[in-house]
Amino acid sequence: MKAVKTAHAVLATLEQGAGRPVLFVHGFPFDHTMWRHQIDLAAQTARVIAPDLRGFGRSTIEPISAKTGVAMADYADDLACILDDLGVDEPVVLCGFSMGGYIAFQFFARHRAKLRALVLCDTKAAADSPQAREVRYKMAENVEGWGSAHVARLMNSKLYAASTMAKRPQIVVDMERVIAGTDPVAIAAAQRGMAHRDDSTPLISQLDLPTLFLVGEEDEITPPQEVAALAAAAPNSQYVVIPEAGHMSPVENPAAVNTALAEFLNSLR
Ligand code: MLT
């Protein structure tokens, strides 16, 4: 992992492979390892860049962020800093999972020249409802007292397909370990940032670049119908449903996600 220094953090960033740059942006409250199966595939033909966002994994965060939040635009600017620091001078394929997708919309709005294509995985464009915001504020206020392991227990029932829970429980155990190890400051900061995020729906019709939408067939957080509607509204899009997967499709059915990703990357040659 390389350590990229920005004005606000030191961002641990995996760089693997050579060729066209592919940037993997993880979701909440995980780190770059949630993309591990896709990283190993893409690094065979591409230069993979996979950071831990502020406070997640091995990256640092300013303690005050637990109160102020980190905006999706700030995470997007961190990604631009990482690309500059690593000397990436070619537009990247950005793969954003869930919160990583919210960040991808901001990256598109602020750093369009750095983008070749988008992969939007188990994510949505709409802003939060008032009720969803309240749930985020409650977690942001309490996570330090609860401990991060409690966050994993709260989230579990919404993250996975029934078949993952029943037949592949080790996936759940592995992801729980990642969440339990996450700094409560990062959790609070991201929850506040997501609660305040803009509605990115108006950007969808402006996505003037190849865009692959992926979604687990049992995703409860970003349901397939919602993702299909985004794909239909985007000018140059493909839409793939991942079977036997809920929200965490990159780890629940890595083979299907990798097939879709490889076909998409090949189509960009
Ligand atoms: C994620 O996986 O990044 C989260 O579920 C996103 C969210 O909380 O909206």
Side-chain angles (χ1 to χ4, degrees):
M1 298 286 278
K2 292 193 172 151
V4 177
K5 285 196 179 119
T6 69
H8 299 283
V10 180
L11 300 170
T13 303
L14 175 81
E15 218 187 346
Q16 195 176 317
R20 177 190 31 224
V22 180
L23 173 63
F24 286 96
V25 186
H26 65 80
F28 168 90
F30 307 107
D31 62 19
H32 76 281
T33 60
M34 61 146 295
W35 281 116
R36 59 193 172 279
H37 304 289
Q38 293 71 41
I39 289 171
D40 287 345
L41 169 89
Q44 291 169 18
T45 54
R47 176 182 181 186
V48 166
I49 298 149
D52 290 339
L53 297 167
R54 263 188 232 189
F56 295 94
R58 296 193 207 160
S59 292
T60 66
I61 190 165
E62 295 163 327
I64 188 70
S65 304
K67 292 278 170 242
T68 60
V70 176
M72 300 300 106
D74 294 334
Y75 292 121
D77 290 351
D78 285 351
L79 298 177
C81 276
I82 289 171
L83 296 179
D84 289 343
D85 188 273
L86 298 180
V88 177
D89 51 12
E90 209 185 312
V92 302
V93 180
L94 192 165
C95 308
F97 169 82
S98 200
M99 182 176 82
Y102 312 159
I103 296 167
F105 290 127
Q106 286 302 311
F107 194 89
F108 172 80
R110 300 163 76 84
H111 304 286
R112 171 68 186 89
K114 291 185 185 294
L115 274 179
R116 166 73 178 93
L118 283 172
V119 178
L120 297 172
C121 185
D122 297 279
T123 194
K124 59 188 167 201
D128 278 353
S129 65
Q131 295 86 337
R133 257 183 220 129
E134 284 312 312
V135 173
R136 294 198 194 279
Y137 292 141
K138 185 173 173 201
M139 188 182 288
E141 285 300 318
N142 293 296
V143 60
E144 202 158 349
W146 289 345
S148 301
H150 183 66
V151 172
R153 287 191 291 275
L154 285 179
M155 292 184 72
N156 262 353
S157 65
K158 291 213 173 240
L159 290 179
Y160 307 98
S163 59
T164 303
M165 297 285 244
K167 294 190 216 153
R168 290 158 290 157
Q170 191 57 40
I171 292 172
V172 180
V173 172
D174 290 345
M175 299 316 290
E176 264 181 355
R177 195 174 303 126
V178 174
I179 299 174
T182 299
D183 184 349
V185 174
I187 291 178
Q191 284 290 39
R192 292 189 197 282
M194 287 192 281
H196 293 149
R197 76 188 190 281
D198 293 332
D199 179 9
S200 293
T201 310
L203 291 178
I204 298 296
S205 62
Q206 297 171 34
L207 294 177
D208 58 343
L209 72 183
T211 306
L212 170 63
F213 289 87
L214 297 175
V215 66
E217 67 178 345
E218 293 174 52
D219 189 340
E220 280 185 41
I221 297 178
T222 54
Q225 314 84 281
E226 199 172 327
V227 179
L230 293 182
N236 183 3
S237 71
Q238 294 172 46
Y239 172 65
V240 177
V241 176
I242 305 298
E244 290 191 71
H247 188 58
M248 300 300 301
S249 65
V251 291
E252 293 183 81
N253 192 343
V257 172
N258 281 6
T259 299
L261 181 62
E263 278 174 16
F264 183 69
L265 293 177
N266 286 336
S267 75
L268 299 174
R269 280 178 205 287

